[in-house]
Each structure stands twice: as C-alpha cells, then as structure tokens.
C-alpha cells in the first residue's frame, strides 16, 4: 500500500488487518509508544479540520513520532500561488509520510504522482475520505461485532458528503448489506455512486426515502450527516435545505434498542444535543476510534512494527 487515496485502494483483507492492528493498539497502547520514533508526519490541510487533523497528529505523537505541517492554505505558500505538486515535492524533503486535505477533487492523486513517500488522502472536496471510512468501519465492527448483515441508514447530505460516498464503496464489499438512503431530492446520492457501486452488486440492496421517521425502526446503524454549507453554490439553497433532518429523542423512540447513531462530525443541528445522553449515540466514540485506526494506518504505510 504505497498511497491511500480511495477506500477501494485497500482490499477487504487489508482492512481486516488494519482493524485488527487498531484493536490491538486499543488493548495495549504502551506496546506502540516508540514504533515511529524519528519518523515525521506532515499534515497539509488546505481546508479547515478539527478531528481529522488533530487525530492524525495525536496518532503520530502516540507512536513516538513527530509532526510538521499547516492547518490552512493561508498559512502555506499556496496563498502565493504554489501548486500542490510543488508543495508536496518540497515537504517530501522534510517528512516520511504526508496526510493531505484539499478542497479540490483529485488533489491527493496529483500529490501522489509527484512524491516517493506515502500520501494519505485526508479528504479531497466532495470526493473521497478514506481514513474517515476506516474510522467508521472500526466503529461499526467494535460496537456491532461485524461488518456484514447490516441495514445502514445514510441520512442528510448524500450528494456532497464524501464520507457517505466512501463508506458506501467500502461496505459494498461485505455480504448482505442494505443501504437506506434518506435525503431530500436535491441531495440524493450522485448517479456515479449508484452506477458504480450500488447497482448490479450482489452484496448490496438499497432503497431511498425522504422521511427518516418512516424507516428508522428498521436500521442497525443510522449515519447522520450535516448539510455542508461550503459545498453549495448559493446561500438560498443551503438555507432551504439545512434543517431537512434533525434527529431528536422522539425519533429515537422508534429505533431499535441496539441501533447505533454515527456522525463524521462536525455537527451543526442535525442531531439534538439531548440525543448525546442516549447510549446508542456513538459519534464521540467514533472520533476516538479515528485516532486508533490512523495509528494503525501510519504504522502500516511506514512498514514499522511493535
């Protein structure tokens, strides 16, 4: 695994190995404290981030490594017009591995074609977010005990939500997966995701709904997403759609006792804060799982062992 640009870059077997390693890190963290000593991770974040950037940095520090980088395009030479290719060529001189987020689809691919060190796509526009997908898979496997035979509701912005697109692609390789796609008409899953992943896949079935209340009782997992202001071309459309779905305690009463609620975060108002007290709310645990799976990924891509 030279680079990680897309969830499909990793086989099911490699995913299982990564999740097993993350599970062992959770059980025995002290065993891994020095495995990346004298290694450097560069976090190149051309777009705002809290969880992804900080979890990468925390992951590298907990492995005994160091972190360099920037947390915004304005803090880099991109503000002077430097290309992505030139930026990563420069950073390659100082780091052993790069985690990069960029607002433009395909930026991580461009980066990977211009360096010899591993590139991890930490999100490229509305396209892919593979490490969030690994986080989601670790969360599901840890809390549900499996990655097959699941009914998964995806709710909210399914058009621009790169976390949704990536998770659909990854889970489509496991057996007996049913996706319930819940969104307004304007924010449905893009046609390319349906054509490439959902249709003609023997492992997957899917249905589409516009109202969460109609289907929440059938879900094993509810994956909520925010309506992303930064992906809209005009404010009017965003304001009209931003409150399409709000999960509250009344809706949770209809759900299974063992359903889990996930969210890649940040949350705006699509999950009421009163739901945080519900034991089925897993989104902050999900954020913690993100650190462990990124530790496992960094180790794997740097080819270091405990």
């Amino acid at each position: 695994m030279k680079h990680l640009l897309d969830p499909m870059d990793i086989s099911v077997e490699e995913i299982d190995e990564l999740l097993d390693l993350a599970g062992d890190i959770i059980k025995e963290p002290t065993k891994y404290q020095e495995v990346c000593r004298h290694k450097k991770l560069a976090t190149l974040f051309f777009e705002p981030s809290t969880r992804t950037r900080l979890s990468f940095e925390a992951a590298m520090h907990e492995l005994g490594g160091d972190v360099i980088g920037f947390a915004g395009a304005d803090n880099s030479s991109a503000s002077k017009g430097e290309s992505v290719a030139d930026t990563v060529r420069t950073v390659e001189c100082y780091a052993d591995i790069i985690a990069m987020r960029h607002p433009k689809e395909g930026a991580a691919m461009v980066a990977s074609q211009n360096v010899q060190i591993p590139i991890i796509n930490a999100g490229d526009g509305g396209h892919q977010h593979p490490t969030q997908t690994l986080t989601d898979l670790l969360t599901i496997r840890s809390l549900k005990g499996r990655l097959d035979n699941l009914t998964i509701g995806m709710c909210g912005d399914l058009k621009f939500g790169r976390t949704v697109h990536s998770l659909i692609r990854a889970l489509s390789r496991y057996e007996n997966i049913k996706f319930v796609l819940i969104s307004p008409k304007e924010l449905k899953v893009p046609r390319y995701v349906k054509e490439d992943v959902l249709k003609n896949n023997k492992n997957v079935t899917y249905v589409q709904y516009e109202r969460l209340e109609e289907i929440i009782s059938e879900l094993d997992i509810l994956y909520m997403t925010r309506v992303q202001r930064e992906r809209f071309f005009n404010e009017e459309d965003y304001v009209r759609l931003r409150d399409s779905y709000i999960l509250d305690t009344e809706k949770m009463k209809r759900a299974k006792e063992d359903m889990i609620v996930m969210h890649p975060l940040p949350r705006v108002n699509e999950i009421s804060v009163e739901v945080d007290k519900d034991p089925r709310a897993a989104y902050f645990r999900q954020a913690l799982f993100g650190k462990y799976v990124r530790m496992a990924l960094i180790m794997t891509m740097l080819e270091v062992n405990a």
Side-chain angles (χ1 to χ4, degrees), residues 227-244:
V227 176
Q228 302 177 80
R229 187 177 204 157
E230 63 269 29
R231 308 293 176 211
F232 278 80
F233 294 108
N234 65 75
E235 184 74 7
E236 183 180 328
D237 285 346
Y238 167 73
V239 170
R240 180 168 52 85
L241 295 170
R242 65 183 176 186
D243 295 331
S244 297

Side-chain angles (χ1 to χ4, degrees), residues 188-200:
K188 284 187 174 181
V189 166
R191 178 176 294 178
Y192 79 88
V193 175
K194 289 183 184 177
E195 296 294 335
D196 294 349
V197 184
L198 295 173
K199 293 183 178 178
N200 304 315

